[in-house]
Amino acid sequence: MKEGLKDKSCDYYFDKKENVSGSVATRHYHSFFELYYMREGKCNYFIGDHSYDVVSGDIILVPCDIIHRTNYTSRSHSRLLLNFPESFISPVILEEIKAMGYLYRNRAISHQVESIFAMIEQEYMRNDYLSLHALRAYTEQLLVLMIRHGGSGNHKNLGNTMVEDTIKYIQQNYMADIRLTSAAKHLSVSPEHLSRTFKQKTAFGFNEYLTLYRLQRAEQILLNEPGRSIIDVAYACGFNDSNYFSYKFKEHYGISPSKIRGGVKPSNHANPLNLRENAN
């Protein structure tokens, strides 16, 4: 048996779910590229500031650091998932893929997509000293296939101006003491109507999205400005209590704010797995 993967500098994660029952909602952002293939079933993907109805054969493409949420709407579903650093892919291919938007739909190439995923799964399980190179080749083969054959459009659900304006309001004012009531006043609607519409269209509660966005901004400051104190970072991102900030940060990322400055990788929002060290 050959030695396990020598190059640990690149995280690559493959996951397969088959005939999963129930409605499971996940929401997060992460520092890697996400490629999601819906084999069977349907779900709603909220990405950035729009939602997308995803059905069998669709592919979702989520660049790093984009807040998104998945809400399953079918009784059961089967899906395939890839996570990899954007640096894993050739810049030319990555630029073309990002230009496509978030949702890719082309039933004509479904058979080829399935075949490439089968090779990715087999190589991921093999995990020898050549696996990383093979996975890069297969992943780029999949992306080139999509680029060459094109998709049938971005298929956004009809946008809701109120929701888009609310997200813009949060992104522009997250550092201040904003609340649902202040956002509703800014948009000249009732808090109840804004809360109900925002939840319906995004699957996020207003405060849930606001907190997640503040944490994302805090993470970026901690990584890029390690000299700033935790208290300063907390207040800069709209948290009036640094202890509460530290609690929410650890709850979301699995580590304290001080540890992330030391290079410790968060355990729940950016969690692709290194290829397993031993092949079975």
Side-chain angles (χ1 to χ4, degrees), residues 97-220:
I97 283 294
K98 285 185 173 182
M100 289 181 171
Y102 298 136
L103 189 150
Y104 180 93
R105 179 173 292 167
N106 187 343
R107 301 287 185 276
I109 64 169
S110 292
H111 179 71
Q112 293 166 278
V113 169
E114 294 268 358
S115 296
I116 297 173
F117 264 113
M119 292 188 290
I120 289 174
E121 180 179 9
Q122 183 180 32
E123 194 61 52
Y124 189 79
M125 299 302 293
R126 180 191 299 273
N127 185 25
D128 64 17
Y129 74 113
L130 292 173
S131 290
L132 183 64
H133 305 286
L135 288 168
R136 179 180 288 110
Y138 292 145
T139 303
E140 290 199 340
Q141 181 182 354
L142 173 61
L143 299 178
V144 168
L145 174 69
M146 295 167 61
I147 293 167
R148 284 179 169 169
H149 289 270
S152 58
N154 217 359
H155 299 281
K156 288 180 183 177
N157 290 349
L158 291 177
N160 185 288
T161 302
M162 183 191 306
V163 170
E164 294 173 11
D165 288 347
T166 301
I167 291 174
K168 185 182 298 184
Y169 177 78
I170 289 173
Q171 293 176 348
Q172 294 176 345
N173 298 280
Y174 68 91
M175 69 293 294
D177 184 23
I178 60 173
R179 304 172 187 272
L180 174 66
T181 51
S182 61
K185 183 177 180 180
H186 175 74
L187 297 171
S188 300
V189 297
S190 71
E192 295 77 15
H193 180 57
L194 176 58
S195 177
R196 182 172 58 251
T197 303
F198 193 83
K199 180 75 172 180
Q200 180 184 26
K201 297 297 183 181
T202 70
F204 283 98
F206 176 87
N207 288 331
E208 180 184 20
Y209 183 91
L210 173 61
T211 299
L212 183 58
Y213 191 80
R214 283 171 166 167
L215 290 172
Q216 183 184 40
R217 300 277 75 76
E219 182 202 11
Q220 292 176 347

